[in-house]
Amino acid sequence: MCADGTDDASETPENPETPDEGREHIETLRETIDRNRNFGWEAYRERYRFTLVDDGTVRVSRVDAEAAETASARAVEHGVDHVVTVAGGRAVDCNCHVARRPVGQKSCRHMRAVESHPRL
């Protein structure tokens, strides 16, 4: 059972405003862990799959997304796709909850993963 009282992450809204809607507290914890560990390209390469959607748009997906959909997966491990916008060789925006917060600099683990990619 998730901290928000639902049985699993599949009970989130059909068309959420952001991919993390209803899971913001989990995403904030994951972001804190990511910042504290200061991951580099090798760690991001193992955790995410990068798909170039079009010029300036990259889809970031969890590599273990298939395993996360099993009934035994914990909510914190359930991955969703995020979209990162790139301009001028830098990640400038992401549709995740952390990047959308009105406080602090606009940065999140998805943006850092895209920036660390050697070919994006």
Side-chain angles (χ1 to χ4, degrees):
M1 181 171 277
C2 296
D4 63 0
T6 59
D7 287 334
D8 63 32
S10 65
E11 293 184 18
T12 57
E14 287 294 319
N15 295 312
E17 194 171 304
T18 68
D20 309 318
E21 190 169 310
R23 297 168 14 98
E24 293 87 353
H25 58 291
I26 293 171
E27 291 305 310
T28 301
L29 288 172
R30 292 177 79 179
E31 177 65 20
T32 301
I33 291 167
D34 192 87
R35 285 185 191 278
N36 287 336
R37 290 190 179 162
N38 194 23
F39 289 120
W41 167 239
E42 290 301 317
Y44 287 128
R45 183 178 65 122
E46 293 174 5
R47 294 169 59 201
Y48 297 113
R49 177 177 54 240
F50 303 86
T51 306
L52 189 60
V53 176
D54 60 32
D55 190 30
T57 307
V58 178
R59 176 174 288 118
V60 180
S61 309
R62 296 262 318 183
V63 170
D64 60 351
E66 297 82 21
E69 293 177 13
T70 64
S72 62
R74 297 182 318 204
V76 74
E77 295 170 344
H78 182 74
V80 294
D81 291 355
H82 293 86
V83 177
V84 176
T85 305
V86 180
R90 302 227 12 146
V92 295
D93 196 16
C94 180
N95 66 340
C96 76
H97 163 72
V98 172
R100 300 258 178 239
R101 292 183 301 177
V103 294
Q105 65 182 18
K106 185 172 238 174
S107 174
C108 67
R109 65 187 179 281
H110 313 107
M111 292 169 67
R112 289 190 301 277
V114 167
E115 284 192 348
S116 71
H117 195 293
R119 293 181 289 174
L120 291 177

